Amino acid sequence: MPKRRDILAIVLIVLPWTLLITVWHQSAIAPLLAIRKACHHLVKEIFIIPERLAVRHQQLSDDGVEGKREAGGQVQDSKEYCASDKDIVEVVRTEYVYTRPPPWSDVLPTIHIITPTYSRPVQKAELTRLANTFLHVPNLHWILVEDSQRRTPLVTRLLRETGLNYTHLNVETPRNYKLRGDTRDPRIPRGTMQRNLALRWLRETFNANSSQAGIVYFADDDNTYSLELFEEMRSTRKVSVWPVAFVGGLRYESPKVNAAGKVYGWKTVFDPHRPFAIDMAGFAINLRLILFKPQAYFKLRGVKGGYQESSLLRELVTLNDLEPKAANCTKILVWHTRTEKPVLVNEGKKGFTDPNVEI
Amino acid sequence: MATRMKLKLKTVFVLYFMVSLLGLVYALMQLGQRCDCTEHDMPKDRTISRLRGELHRLQEQIRKSEATKQPQKQATKSSLPTIFVITPTYARLVQKAELIRLSQTFLHVPQLHWIVVEDSPHKTPLVTDLLVKSGLTYTHLHMPTAKDRKLQEGDPSWLKPRGVEQRNEGLRWLREDRRAQPGGDNQQGVVYFADDDNTYSLQIFEEMRGTQRVSVWPVGLVGGMKYERPVVEGGKVVRFHTGWRPSRPFPMDMAGFAVSLKLVLANPEACFDGEAPMGFLESSFLQGLVTMDELEPKAANCSKVLVWHTRTEKPKMKREEALQAQGLGSDPAVEV
């Protein structure tokens, strides 16, 4: 009997102390998490800038023609420096490299360009000329999302060499959802999962309360963009729209704008009664709106052809809130060009050319 | 004595237990409130503010070094050989888009002179305005193709050679213009024939700048293959890797070579032969200029693809045509 009592006593003593210790341990950790996030952002800026500086000094002393910007080509996952953050969902693996060559202004809103891409022979060419266009736009952040199981070295290398400010993501569209060349029966319209991933990345990276002004634009890799377009979209307050050339079987499709400068309809032949009869390249959204409505995504399944854009926009804005750009939607600043699929007949079954040479 | 001890022990234990319980309750209540853990925050905060200070200092340094870099850049610019890019173009729906994205690539290349030759009896306002807005150094020419040499609607693209008269006109203008320049036939420069639907990386222009006679490199997505290229052994071109008629004297695409200005001026008769059989257009020009072993291989001994022979689809205009039949076509005043 004394034994039982002893045991009881010991338990009664030890239990509260263990509870106490665990509780104190937890409360000590919580404030550290907040600091880690701040460390994240600073690491990105601090660890990259000295590299750029070093190369610039070299250029000054070289006086040779150093056209290539090797600077800041650091592919750094800042997670290595700050203790790894397990809060971000596994699918989102980012490579955020802040090596934008000037110009970068502190007052211009950042344009976040979301481009889904997939492997095919013309991919490198398309991304190259797209990058050549983007290099002229100040305060641009390119979010490139690959339709692949893992990030390909081709795209990784290309992004690094351009010197652009980019984020490289990837998500694979499940095989039975991919377009099977039969464009009359698409299961999931191409690029949807990739665009949704980019939206989710934006929502996880940017805080709704932060003062960072941003504009989100969906740019496909085979279209053609004039530089004026990016300056037009920078002043977007909610959602801005403009005409797009070569869509819907017409020279161009455009929103109908009344004398008061409001959009009241759509000048298209293909189903003008869609809620938003506009192409992906014909609108831009303010980042704040994206963050404010975190449930708005492109609908994956059960979307009729041509209704993709509406599936996102109707959750964000009404027709009345649309801001017409490009001189009240009378100028064409973006062309929905498509690149021909190259005929590779001479490759034959085994492939004639060396597969190690990247195209 | 034993009972007293026991009693004492019991109370001790009870007291001990009560104290622990109170401590636990206190701790739990503290958890719900904001932690005042200044001892943990301080070193981290200090690191952050130090890093921020360093960041701003480095940014200032960069801005300063950029300011001093500008005048140096100007000095090196003028000593670079100019690349003369001759682009034939013709009016079609995608013309403006193609020229715009081409100009966006060219804007990155220093010392580039764009010679645009329109297949048209006169200069069109579309191209004129585009060139003015582009910000590039340019020359705007025009030369119509004779009707019987022109591709008709529905003809396959390989039926007749395209751009011949325009490229020849570009060469003619270049020779005339350069003859009048100081330095005469010893001028530095490179001539490149760039079609308006291809894709060019920025590296290809730096590769071709040092051309002494004729330099060559691989071209992607052409000749029915992933890429065509000259095969280089011992720093010299020995043969060409191509899937189509490799017996041609120069089985290359127009985008796969560049000629030095000196060579162009020294051979005033060299031009493209429109009568040459299909695929022999490039050879008809290069034959009189250079032999295979004189070719200079670029792009890491012709192992990297830096230019792609992309082609743009013709946009489907079914609905537009239907509307126009009804007289409701889109406003032709809006330039596309």
Side-chain angles (χ1 to χ4, degrees), chain A residues 33-169:
Chain A
L33 277 172
I35 293 171
R36 205 180 287 146
K37 281 229 164 80
C39 176
H40 245 290
H41 290 281
L42 273 172
V43 162
K44 288 170 201 160
E45 297 172 281
I46 294 289
F47 281 78
I48 310 297
I49 297 236
E51 311 295 332
R52 272 176 68 196
L53 196 58
V55 178
R56 282 193 186 277
H57 279 305
Q58 194 190 26
Q59 283 179 340
L60 281 172
S61 58
D62 254 344
D63 25 87
V65 182
E66 185 66 67
K68 281 282 295 159
R69 246 179 283 265
E70 236 92 74
Q74 293 273 336
V75 168
Q76 282 185 350
D77 208 351
S78 62
K79 287 190 207 154
E80 296 172 49
Y81 294 87
C82 307
S84 75
D85 210 344
K86 295 241 159 67
D87 296 334
I88 299 186
V89 182
E90 273 113 68
V91 147
V92 182
R93 275 187 197 74
T94 71
E95 211 175 271
Y96 192 67
V97 180
Y98 225 104
T99 59
R100 181 73 171 86
W104 190 276
S105 138
D106 286 325
V107 293
L108 288 178
T110 307
I111 298 182
H112 301 277
I113 306 237
I114 298 176
T115 300
T117 184
Y118 65 104
S119 279
R120 74 260 198 215
V122 297
Q123 181 188 37
K124 191 176 181 190
E126 300 281 41
L127 293 178
T128 300
R129 56 183 169 186
L130 204 57
N132 287 341
T133 301
F134 290 160
L135 276 167
H136 292 295
V137 184
N139 287 44
L140 184 142
H141 173 214
W142 198 13
I143 305 174
L144 194 59
V145 194
E146 288 199 73
D147 185 348
S148 64
Q149 222 172 38
R150 48 189 86 82
R151 292 180 294 190
T152 57
L154 186 151
V155 177
T156 312
R157 232 176 293 137
L158 189 144
L159 284 173
R160 211 185 315 149
E161 281 171 3
T162 57
L164 278 170
N165 186 1
Y166 69 88
T167 295
H168 187 182
L169 306 172

Side-chain angles (χ1 to χ4, degrees), chain B residues 27 42 143 169 236 325:
Chain B
M42 274 305 261
M143 170 63 70
E169 166 70 6
K236 292 241 174 261

